[in-house]
Amino acid sequence: MAPNLDDGKSLFKFVIQEGNGIKGLVDSGLQNVPAQYVQPPNERIDKSNAYPLDQAPIDLSGLDGLSHGQVVDAIARAAETFGFFQVAPEKKALYRKGVSPSPLVQYGTGFAPEEEEVLDWRDYVSMVYTNDEDALKHWPNECK
């Protein structure tokens, strides 16, 4: 169920505390971008310089099977070409900021109303690389 968008506490609870993120807002049937996320016209991206993204979400479940190499290649290609790729919400939610079982992996969203006039319309997974040993110990199996 979508939060009451007029109530900042409800929005914070839904997006951050419950781990639904921006993707959860979109999946809840949201019809319009909440006002808290709308950039002023002078801060918006110039659409005339943009190009469409035809990158489908990458199904990480294939990492455990015969298509492991293809999934790894798709992740590498997306990271090199676009700088990001999409991950299933269930996988991300395990690593919510503040409850992540790993000190090197956090899932979050650009929700910092105390620091920003307009909130970022994004979710992210931050994975810190220190060395191979730590990555093997702390990163999700799908990312090793």
Side-chain angles (χ1 to χ4, degrees), residues 42-93:
N42 64 321
E43 295 289 324
R44 296 179 189 167
I45 294 172
D46 179 2
K47 292 181 186 175
S48 65
N49 291 328
Y51 57 91
L53 172 68
D54 0 319
Q55 175 67 35
I58 299 169
D59 183 358
L60 297 182
S61 66
L63 287 169
D64 296 329
L66 298 174
S67 58
H68 177 87
Q70 292 170 320
V71 175
V72 169
D73 289 344
I75 291 170
R77 216 174 20 263
E80 291 169 358
T81 306
F82 302 110
F84 67 91
F85 59 93
Q86 298 180 51
V87 178
E90 311 79 54
K91 299 282 187 182
K92 293 186 293 193

Side-chain angles (χ1 to χ4, degrees), residues 14 29 79 97 111 116 121-122:
F14 183 84
K97 193 173 183 177
F111 196 104
E116 304 167 339
W121 187 255
R122 70 178 171 114

Side-chain angles (χ1 to χ4, degrees), residues 2-3 5 11 14-16 20-40 43-45 84 86 92 107-113 116-124:
L5 299 178
L11 185 64
F14 183 84
V15 172
I16 303 295
N20 293 297
I22 299 303
K23 178 80 167 89
L25 276 178
V26 173
D27 290 348
S28 73
L30 187 69
Q31 295 297 312
N32 296 301
V33 175
Q36 301 95 311
Y37 292 96
V38 178
Q39 293 286 335
E43 295 289 324
R44 296 179 189 167
I45 294 172
F84 67 91
Q86 298 180 51
K92 293 186 293 193
Y107 161 64
T109 187
F111 196 104
E116 304 167 339
E117 288 184 34
V118 178
L119 302 175
D120 288 333
W121 187 255
R122 70 178 171 114
D123 294 333
Y124 66 86

